[in-house]
């Protein structure tokens, strides 16, 4: 059996779950904090994310609980699980980016680079966008 690893990120966002949800599931908002993609919060929806250096990455939505949980595959190996928990006047967002095969040098390198990227750049950008969305 392959040993896999997960990047886990916990980000507080000074916005209600409805704004965070929109930021995750509306293509025009997703493109503003991460990358362009034809995402939709519909189980079974297949879409692509336009990743710099990788091109179009195939994804498929596997779980949807509006304003609570959004899960989709990301390429043939990874899964992104977004969990939203109301906290005070904001939202605690938990991301699990799972499926990294640590026996594969390329996957191990991606794991090492993507963790800091999610924590230090990508999710803070999401937090800023969601906080700035009008009511």
């Amino acid at each position: 059996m392959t040993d896999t690893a997960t990047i886990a990120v916990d980000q507080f966002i000074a916005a209600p779950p409805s704004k965070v949800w929109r930021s995750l599931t509306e293509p025009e908002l997703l493109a503003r904090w991460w990358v362009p993609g034809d995402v939709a919060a519909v189980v079974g929806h297949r879409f692509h994310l336009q990743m710099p250096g990788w091109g179009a990455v195939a994804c498929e939505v596997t779980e949807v609980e509006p304003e609570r949980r959004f899960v989709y595959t990301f390429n043939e190996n990874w899964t992104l699980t977004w969990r939203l928990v109301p906290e005070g006047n904001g939202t605690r967002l938990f991301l699990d980016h799972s499926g990294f095969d640590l026996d594969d040098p390329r996957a191990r390198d991606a794991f090492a680079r993507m963790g800091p990227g999610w924590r230090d750049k990508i999710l803070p950008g999401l937090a800023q966008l969601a906080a700035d969305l009008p009511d």
Side-chain angles (χ1 to χ4, degrees), residues 60-130:
E60 183 176 352
V61 177
T62 60
E63 292 181 50
V64 174
E65 290 180 51
E67 298 185 14
R68 296 192 54 198
R69 186 174 169 88
F70 188 44
V71 182
Y72 52 88
T73 61
F74 181 90
N75 76 28
E76 63 278 356
N77 299 314
W78 298 336
T79 300
L80 298 180
T81 301
W82 304 93
R83 192 165 52 93
L84 293 68
V85 178
E87 183 176 305
N89 292 326
T91 305
R92 181 67 58 182
L93 178 65
F94 297 96
L95 165 64
D96 288 335
H97 182 167
S98 60
F100 291 91
D101 177 359
L102 298 182
D103 294 332
D104 177 334
R106 288 184 57 195
R108 193 170 50 248
D109 180 59
F111 178 78
R113 287 183 295 105
M114 288 181 178
W118 281 120
R119 277 186 283 280
D120 301 336
K121 182 178 180 194
I122 306 299
L123 290 188
L126 166 60
Q128 187 64 57
L129 175 74

Side-chain angles (χ1 to χ4, degrees), residues 13-91:
I13 300 176
S18 60
K19 290 183 180 184
V20 178
W21 183 257
R22 287 182 53 217
S23 300
L24 290 170
T25 61
E26 294 181 14
E28 62 278 3
L29 296 178
L30 180 72
R32 288 172 55 190
W33 65 267
W34 189 21
V35 294
D38 51 335
V39 66
V42 177
V43 172
H45 175 69
R46 293 174 188 257
F47 64 101
H48 290 87
L49 294 175
Q50 300 300 322
M51 302 302 297
W54 291 53
V57 175
C59 303
E60 183 176 352
V61 177
T62 60
E63 292 181 50
V64 174
E65 290 180 51
E67 298 185 14
R68 296 192 54 198
R69 186 174 169 88
F70 188 44
V71 182
Y72 52 88
T73 61
F74 181 90
N75 76 28
E76 63 278 356
N77 299 314
W78 298 336
T79 300
L80 298 180
T81 301
W82 304 93
R83 192 165 52 93
L84 293 68
V85 178
E87 183 176 305
N89 292 326
T91 305

